[in-house]
């Protein structure tokens, strides 16, 4: 009991001093103690309460008199407080009335200051927005005047510098939304301009190419004139006195050439003058700024490749006129001039690799087209014009850095075709000359006419020079004409060799090969055809032999002519020779063979008109008329052979051989024909009178042979042509069969050439 009392005092002390939130644990300890602790605690609590009440009462009793005094004082102040309240209320009313105007003015000041602050804010914001609006206005103006590249730069400044400052405003969002649309619009417009540009250069490519080719020709003319001037200056020191006048003339000519070039340069426009390249520059810059440079490059190259294919496609009738080729080359040159310009003024739009690839593709197509279309050209003048165009075309593009070796290789192929067309043309010229020739020696009445002839043809004959006028040259009119045409052919062939960048040796070789083709193929073929023509008689054939001899002699002058043109000595190991010797020799052999053939044909014609009466009792006592006519024809014919050239030993031997061979061939053919007439199977019976008449005819043939119609036969060589007939006729005329049979088979037999079967056949008749 005694122990629990201090514990209760501690609990009461904690309750008084502890926060009410912590009273719970303290009160719980009361119930956790000994039994009846709660009762005892309540008792202790009541005692504590009574003590506190007593203390409160004491305190109140101690302060009661002061409270009474305070109430008394408040009652005294009450009246004064009411007076003061009335005064304060009145003062407040007066003060309120007096402050209404101040309040109104103050409110006005506040309102003005708010407006001022708002204005200041607006000005600050406007100052911040004005540059944006100015830049956007500038952008619109640039769009209107089509300064799209500047507009893109303005957009870039708006996006990176100005718009972020005012991004909180709605108009800024509208601008931000419009900028991508404007970019797309610029791309579309620039692409449209590019398409117009591509169409423009497609239309103007021929003019651009023509301009470039003219400039290349002018440059070449200028270089050539300058080279001539340098050569002239070089030769001035060596031939100063003699060449002053010539030098002056050349300087004047050179000056005129330069002046003409200046005039042409003023008139000729460049590619930049003909085509406005600004769209492609602008489009390239725009796409580069927008980050689509690669897309633009691919599109441009793709479109240009398409245009290249169109340019390289020739017209079907291009080969018919020079203008067709010129337009074709001009378009191609114009195309690559534009590409070269784009290559040098832009960075990366086209590259050297791209242009080289495009050129190689175009070059293969060009070569194929030229091979095809040039094969249709039959006019050498057109082929020559084509060659000149190809040279200008190649020189022009070579000046722009494009390789053109394959074009010059192609020119060698075209040169062969050019030679073929020349050969065809000269074949017609030769035919016309041969048709117009009278195949008689050229008459010259005086010295002037003689000089005219020898100025055209290198004829030399000392014996003929000693003769007085009028006189005749041994060749016919076709010889100098053929010689002139051969020289013209060489000139025509030389025209193609010019400007091919080949050495003099190569040009000399080309000229000689072309001339050899003319002689060995064209002229030889014309001569062979001429010899075979039916209207060419023996006289004409003899003249042809004479003509070919003189043409053969003139070949050495043609070689000198070519050497003078090319300045290549004939002693050079690389110099080819002309094959005129074999050409004209073959023609002579053919003419000689034709002489033999025609003589035999003429003999056959006379034989066919023979009209023997094989049953006559006795002969007419004279030779048959047809045979006398035949012998007279042969005499006159062989007299023609005296006109064959014999101005030297070789020609004399040649002419004698031709005449002898022709005469021997004619006599042998005549003998054979007469023998066949006797042995004709249709002839059944022959009288002795007919044999006698036939013998008279053979005697005339033997007399003709013994009269030496052609000089040069030894002994009775020509008469041996009739020995078979003579022995056969003698056998029947003297009827010496016993001798024939006795001596048959012996080398000393009188009738050694009589064949038994022939004799038996005639005996049966």
């Amino acid at each position: 009991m005694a122990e629990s009392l201090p514990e209760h005092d501690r609990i009461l002390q904690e309750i008084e001093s502890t926060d009410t939130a912590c009273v719970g644990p303290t009160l719980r300890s009361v119930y956790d103690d000994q039994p009846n602790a709660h009762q005892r605690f309540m008792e202790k609590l009541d005692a504590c309460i009574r003590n506190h009440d007593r203390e409160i009462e004491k305190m109140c009793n101690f302060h009661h008199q002061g409270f009474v005094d305070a109430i008394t004082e408040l009652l005294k102040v009450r009246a004064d407080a009411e007076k003061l309240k009335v005064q304060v209320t009145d003062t407040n009313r007066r003060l309120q009335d007096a402050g209404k105007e101040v309040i109104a003015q103050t409110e006005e000041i506040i309102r003005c200051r708010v407006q001022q602050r708002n204005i200041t804010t607006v000005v600050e914001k406007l100052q911040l927005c004005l540059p944006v609006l100015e830049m956007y206005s500038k952008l619109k103006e640039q769009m209107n005047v089509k300064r799209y590249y500047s507009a893109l730069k303005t957009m870039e400044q708006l996006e990176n510098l100005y718009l972020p400052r005012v991004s909180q405003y709605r108009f800024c969002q509208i601008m931000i939304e419009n900028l991508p649309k404007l970019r797309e619009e610029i791309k579309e417009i620039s692409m449209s301009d590019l398409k117009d540009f591509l169409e423009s250069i497609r239309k103007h490519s021929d003019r651009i190419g023509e301009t470039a080719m003219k400039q290349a020709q002018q440059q070449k003319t200028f270089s050539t004139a300058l080279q001539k001037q340098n050569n002239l200056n070089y030769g001035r020191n060596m031939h100063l006195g003699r060449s002053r006048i010539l030098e002056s003339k050349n300087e004047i000519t050179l000056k005129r050439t330069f002046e003409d070039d200046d005039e042409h340069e003023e008139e000729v426009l460049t590619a930049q003058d003909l085509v406005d390249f600004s769209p492609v520059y602008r489009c390239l810059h725009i796409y580069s700024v927008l980050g689509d440079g690669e897309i633009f490059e691919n599109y441009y190259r793709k479109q240009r490749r398409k245009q290249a294919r169109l340019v390289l496609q020739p017209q079907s009738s291009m080969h018919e006129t020079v203008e067709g080729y010129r337009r074709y080359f001009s378009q191609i040159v114009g195309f690559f001039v534009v590409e070269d310009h784009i290559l040098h003024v832009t960075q990366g739009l086209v590259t050297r690799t791209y242009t080289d690839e495009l050129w190689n593709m175009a070059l293969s197509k060009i070569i194929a087209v030229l091979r095809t279309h040039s094969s249709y050209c039959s006019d050498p003048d057109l082929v020559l014009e084509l060659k000149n165009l190809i040279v200008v075309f190649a020189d022009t593009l070579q000046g722009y850095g494009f390789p053109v070796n394959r074009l010059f290789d192609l020119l060698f192929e075209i040169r062969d075709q050019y030679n073929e067309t020349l050969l065809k043309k000269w074949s017609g010229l030769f035919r016309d000359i041969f048709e117009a020739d009278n195949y008689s020696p050229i008459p010259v009445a005086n010295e002037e006419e003689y000089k005219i002839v020898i100025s055209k043809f290198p004829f030399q004959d000392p014996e003929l020079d000693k003769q007085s006028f009028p006189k005749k040259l041994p060749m016919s009119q076709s010889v100098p004409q053929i010689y002139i045409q051969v020289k013209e052919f060489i000139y025509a062939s030389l025209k193609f060799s010019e400007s091919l960048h080949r050495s003099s040796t190569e040009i000399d070789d080309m000229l000689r090969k072309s001339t050899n083709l003319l002689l060995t193929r064209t002229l030889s073929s014309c001569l062979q055809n001429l010899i075979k023509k039916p209207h060419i008689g023996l006289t004409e054939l003899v003249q042809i032999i004479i003509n070919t001899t003189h043409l053969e002699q003139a070949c050495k002058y043609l070689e000198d002519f070519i050497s003078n043109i090319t300045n290549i000595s004939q002693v050079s190991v690389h110099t080819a020779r002309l094959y005129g010797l074999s050409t004209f020799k073959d023609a002579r052999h053919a003419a000689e063979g034709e002489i033999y053939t025609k003589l035999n044909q003429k003999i056959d014609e006379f034989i066919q008109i023979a009209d023997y009466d094989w049953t006559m009792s006795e002969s007419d006592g004279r030779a048959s008329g047809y045979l006398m006519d035949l012998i007279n024809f042969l005499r006159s014919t062989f007299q023609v052979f005296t006109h064959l050239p014999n101005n030297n030993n070789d020609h004399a031997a040649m002419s004698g051989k031709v005449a002898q061979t022709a005469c021997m061939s004619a006599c042998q053919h005549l003998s054979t024909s007469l023998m066949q007439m006797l042995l004709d199977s249709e002839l059944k019976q022959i009288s002795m009178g007919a044999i006698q008449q036939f013998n008279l005819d053979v005697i005339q043939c033997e007399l003709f042979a013994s009269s030496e119609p052609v000089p040069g036969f030894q002994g009775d060589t020509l008469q041996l042509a009739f020995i078979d007939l003579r022995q056969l006729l003698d056998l029947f005329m003297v009827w010496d069969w016993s001798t024939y049979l006795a001596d048959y088979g012996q080398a000393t037999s009188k009738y050694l050439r009589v064949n038994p079967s022939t004799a038996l056949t005639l005996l049966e008749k």
Side-chain angles (χ1 to χ4, degrees):
M1 184 68 180
E3 295 177 354
S4 61
L5 291 176
E7 180 66 20
H8 290 165
D9 292 336
R10 184 187 64 79
I11 292 172
L12 289 175
Q13 188 177 358
E14 288 182 359
I15 291 173
E16 289 177 355
S17 60
T18 305
D19 190 4
T20 57
C22 300
V23 174
T26 305
L27 292 178
R28 190 178 296 112
S29 63
V30 175
Y31 294 96
D32 293 338
D33 287 338
Q34 301 175 1
N36 299 321
H38 176 265
Q39 184 64 33
R40 287 191 295 275
F41 176 74
M42 293 301 296
E43 292 176 357
K44 188 67 176 176
L45 179 63
D46 290 338
C48 184
I49 292 171
R50 284 193 297 275
N51 288 332
H52 284 297
D53 288 341
R54 283 193 296 272
E55 290 178 0
I56 292 171
E57 185 177 357
K58 288 180 181 180
M59 181 68 68
C60 290
N61 291 330
F62 179 76
H63 292 288
H64 178 71
Q65 185 59 43
F67 177 73
V68 173
D69 293 338
I71 292 300
T72 302
E73 287 295 327
L74 287 173
L75 290 175
K76 290 180 181 179
V77 174
R78 180 177 178 180
D80 294 333
E82 289 179 355
K83 290 180 183 179
L84 180 61
K85 179 180 179 181
V86 172
Q87 291 176 355
V88 168
T89 301
D90 183 57
T91 302
N92 179 58
R93 181 182 56 77
R94 290 198 305 273
L95 184 60
Q96 291 292 335
D97 293 339
K100 286 181 180 180
E101 184 177 356
V102 176
I103 291 171
Q105 292 180 354
T106 302
E107 290 179 351
E108 181 66 21
I109 291 173
I110 293 172
R111 187 179 63 81
C112 289
R113 287 183 177 178
V114 169
Q115 289 180 349
Q116 185 179 8
R117 185 173 65 251
N118 291 340
I119 290 172
T120 302
T121 303
V122 168
V123 170
E124 292 176 354
K125 299 301 180 181
L126 285 176
Q127 288 178 345
L128 190 62
C129 293
L130 275 177
V132 178
L133 296 174
E134 289 175 354
M135 291 298 289
Y136 195 79
S137 175
K138 180 181 178 181
L139 172 63
K140 287 292 186 181
E141 183 179 355
Q142 290 171 340
M143 291 290 291
N144 291 334
V145 297
K146 299 182 179 181
R147 296 174 57 193
Y148 301 115
Y149 181 72
S150 300
L152 288 175
K153 290 295 185 182
T154 303
M155 289 185 196
E156 186 177 354
Q157 291 179 353
L158 277 172
E159 287 181 328
N160 298 331
L161 184 62
Y162 293 97
L163 289 179
R165 300 176 183 175
V166 292
S167 59
Q168 68 272 20
Y169 300 110
R170 188 173 61 183
F171 77 89
C172 178
Q173 297 299 323
I174 296 174
M175 289 182 182
I176 293 174
E177 293 174 358
N178 285 338
L179 291 182
K181 298 178 181 178
L182 291 176
R183 283 194 176 93
E184 290 300 322
E185 181 182 351
I186 290 175
K187 287 179 66 176
E188 292 176 359
I189 293 173
S190 62
M191 183 56 69
S192 176
D193 291 343
L194 176 66
K195 292 178 180 178
D196 294 339
F197 165 79
L198 293 175
E199 180 66 20
S200 174
I201 59 176
R202 187 186 69 81
K203 292 180 179 179
H204 293 86
S205 60
D206 54 343
R207 290 187 60 196
I208 297 173
E210 185 177 354
T211 299
M213 292 171 73
K214 285 182 179 179
Q215 292 174 341
Q217 285 181 302
Q218 292 171 5
Q219 180 65 30
K220 188 173 182 180
T221 302
F222 176 81
S223 300
T224 303
L226 188 61
Q227 184 178 5
K228 289 181 179 179
Q229 178 67 15
N230 292 334
N231 294 337
L232 182 64
N233 293 334
Y234 176 77
R236 182 187 305 165
N237 296 329
M238 300 177 62
H239 306 282
L240 183 60
R242 183 172 59 86
S243 62
R244 282 181 178 176
I245 298 176
L246 180 62
E247 177 184 348
S248 176
K249 291 182 179 179
N250 279 280
E251 287 180 352
I252 295 173
T253 302
L254 183 63
K255 182 178 180 181
R256 289 177 179 174
T257 301
F258 292 163
E259 290 177 353
D260 293 341
D261 289 342
D262 292 339
E263 293 178 359
H264 285 290
E265 288 176 359
E266 293 178 359
E267 297 174 357
V268 175
L269 301 177
T270 62
Q272 295 88 333
D273 297 326
L274 296 174
V275 177
D276 180 16
F277 287 91
S278 59
V280 70
Y281 306 150
R282 184 166 55 247
C283 196
L284 174 61
H285 291 160
I286 288 171
Y287 272 76
S288 298
V289 170
L290 296 177
D292 295 332
E294 186 176 354
I295 295 176
F296 172 74
E297 292 172 8
N298 293 335
Y299 176 82
Y300 176 84
R301 295 181 184 181
K302 180 180 179 181
Q303 294 300 316
R304 289 297 280 165
R305 282 193 179 95
K306 290 182 179 178
Q307 289 188 344
R309 294 188 187 96
L310 292 176
V311 167
L312 295 172
Q313 189 66 33
Q315 296 181 354
S316 59
S317 59
M318 184 180 71
H319 62 277
E320 296 177 356
T321 61
V322 178
E323 290 302 321
Y325 286 108
R326 180 175 287 111
R327 179 174 175 80
Y328 180 68
F329 287 128
S330 298
Q331 289 178 342
I332 296 174
V333 171
F335 178 89
F336 283 100
V337 167
V338 169
E339 289 305 287
D340 182 77
H341 180 77
I342 295 295
L343 172 67
H344 287 89
V345 299
T346 61
Q347 296 181 352
L349 179 56
V350 296
T351 62
R352 175 56 67 182
T353 302
Y354 160 79
T355 54
D356 290 344
E357 177 186 352
L358 199 61
W359 169 244
N360 290 331
M361 180 273 292
L363 189 57
S364 299
K365 179 66 175 178
I366 292 168
I367 291 174
V369 167
L370 292 179
R371 279 181 180 148
T372 301
H373 284 263
S374 63
S375 62
Y376 300 142
C377 295
S378 57
D379 182 7
D381 295 333
L382 180 58
V383 179
L384 185 61
E385 289 289 343
L386 173 60
K387 168 259 174 182
N388 293 332
L389 285 175
I390 293 176
V391 170
V392 175
F393 173 75
D395 289 342
T396 302
L397 289 176
Q398 190 175 35
Y400 285 92
F402 295 100
V404 294
N405 292 335
R406 292 173 62 189
L407 284 174
F408 285 102
D409 293 338
L410 173 67
L411 284 175
F412 281 93
E413 298 179 21
I414 298 179
R415 181 201 64 190
D416 296 336
Q417 181 186 345
Y418 175 70
N419 287 337
E420 289 297 325
T421 58
L422 285 181
L423 292 175
K424 291 180 181 178
K425 179 179 179 180
W426 258 256
S427 177
L429 293 175
F430 290 153
R431 287 196 301 269
D432 294 341
I433 291 173
F434 289 142
E435 289 292 335
D437 195 7
N438 57 7
Y439 297 99
S440 59
I442 301 175
V444 286
N446 49 49
E447 183 73 21
E448 184 178 354
E449 292 182 4
Y450 180 74
K451 289 181 178 180
I452 292 175
V453 175
I454 63 175
S455 67
K456 297 178 181 178
F457 182 77
F459 174 74
Q460 294 178 355
D461 188 350
E463 295 297 330
L464 186 63
D465 291 341
K466 296 177 182 178
Q467 298 178 11
S468 60
F469 293 99
K471 53 187 175 181
K472 292 184 178 181
L473 303 181
M475 64 280 190
S476 67
Q477 192 65 44
S478 62
V479 172
Q481 293 177 354
I482 291 294
Y483 183 79
I484 291 173
Q485 287 304 322
V486 173
K487 292 175 66 175
E488 290 296 328
F489 176 87
I490 295 173
Y491 277 126
S493 183
L494 177 65
K495 288 181 181 178
F496 195 93
S497 302
E498 294 174 348
S499 304
L500 291 185
H501 309 299
R502 297 294 172 177
S503 65
S504 298
T505 303
E506 291 175 305
I507 294 176
D508 182 87
D509 185 63
M510 287 188 290
L511 291 179
R512 292 178 185 273
K513 287 181 178 179
S514 301
T515 307
N516 277 329
L517 282 176
L518 178 71
L519 296 176
T520 59
R521 198 172 77 183
T522 305
L523 183 54
S524 176
S525 176
C526 291
L527 285 171
Q528 296 292 340
N529 294 333
L530 173 66
I531 291 169
K532 298 295 182 181
K533 287 187 176 181
H535 70 276
I536 298 296
L538 295 173
T539 304
E540 288 81 0
L541 289 171
V542 172
Q543 187 63 55
I544 289 173
I545 294 175
I546 298 172
N547 291 348
T548 54
T549 303
H550 287 283
L551 287 173
E552 178 184 335
Q553 294 171 351
C555 284
K556 63 178 181 179
Y557 297 100
L558 291 176
E559 290 184 343
D560 294 338
F561 177 72
I562 295 175
S563 297
N564 292 333
I565 291 177
T566 60
N567 292 324
I568 299 296
S569 174
Q570 294 188 44
V571 299
S572 174
V573 295
H574 302 288
T575 303
R577 299 300 179 211
L578 297 183
Y579 302 145
L581 179 63
S582 60
T583 298
F584 299 119
K585 185 179 292 185
D586 293 341
R588 279 198 301 276
H589 290 165
E592 291 168 7
E594 193 66 19
I595 287 175
Y596 309 148
T597 302
K598 287 186 178 295
L599 273 175
N600 294 341
Q601 291 175 350
K602 198 66 176 177
I603 291 172
D604 291 339
E605 293 177 4
F606 280 100
I607 294 295
Q608 289 175 2
I609 63 175
D611 186 17
Y612 285 102
D613 183 5
W614 299 108
T615 60
M616 65 173 54
S617 58
E618 60 181 15
S619 66
D620 294 337
R622 63 179 181 276
S624 302
Y626 85 92
L627 187 67
M628 296 307 297
D629 293 339
L630 173 57
I631 291 174
N632 291 332
F633 165 75
L634 291 176
R635 288 185 186 280
S636 61
T637 298
F638 291 130
Q639 287 178 358
V640 176
F641 284 90
T642 59
H643 294 292
L644 287 172
N646 56 3
N647 54 325
N648 57 46
N649 294 333
D650 293 337
H651 287 166
M654 181 272 295
S655 61
K657 182 180 178 181
V658 172
Q660 292 168 12
T661 305
C663 188
M664 178 59 74
S665 174
C667 291
Q668 288 176 345
H669 185 72
L670 177 57
S671 176
T672 303
S673 300
L674 292 174
M675 180 69 76
Q676 290 175 352
M677 188 182 300
L678 285 176
L679 301 178
D680 188 0
S681 59
E682 296 182 0
L683 181 59
K684 303 301 182 181
Q685 184 179 359
I686 302 176
S687 66
M688 286 304 298
I691 292 294
Q692 293 172 358
Q693 181 64 43
F694 200 82
N695 183 59
L696 291 175
D697 293 344
V698 174
I699 291 173
Q700 288 299 322
C701 292
E702 292 171 332
L703 290 175
F704 168 74
S706 63
S707 66
E708 199 174 8
V710 174
F713 285 108
Q714 295 180 357
D716 56 354
T717 302
L718 191 59
Q719 292 173 291
L720 292 177
F722 301 97
I723 191 63
D724 292 350
L725 273 174
R726 171 49 50 209
Q727 291 184 5
L728 181 63
L729 291 175
D730 285 348
L731 177 61
F732 280 86
M733 289 294 293
V734 299
W735 205 255
D736 193 8
W737 288 97
S738 59
T739 304
Y740 173 72
L741 295 175
D743 296 341
Y744 178 74
Q746 298 181 12
T748 59
S749 175
K750 182 180 179 179
Y751 304 104
L752 180 64
R753 305 296 295 270
V754 178
N755 189 291
S757 61
T758 302
L760 182 60
T761 302
L762 186 58
L763 182 61
E764 291 176 351
K765 295 185 179 184

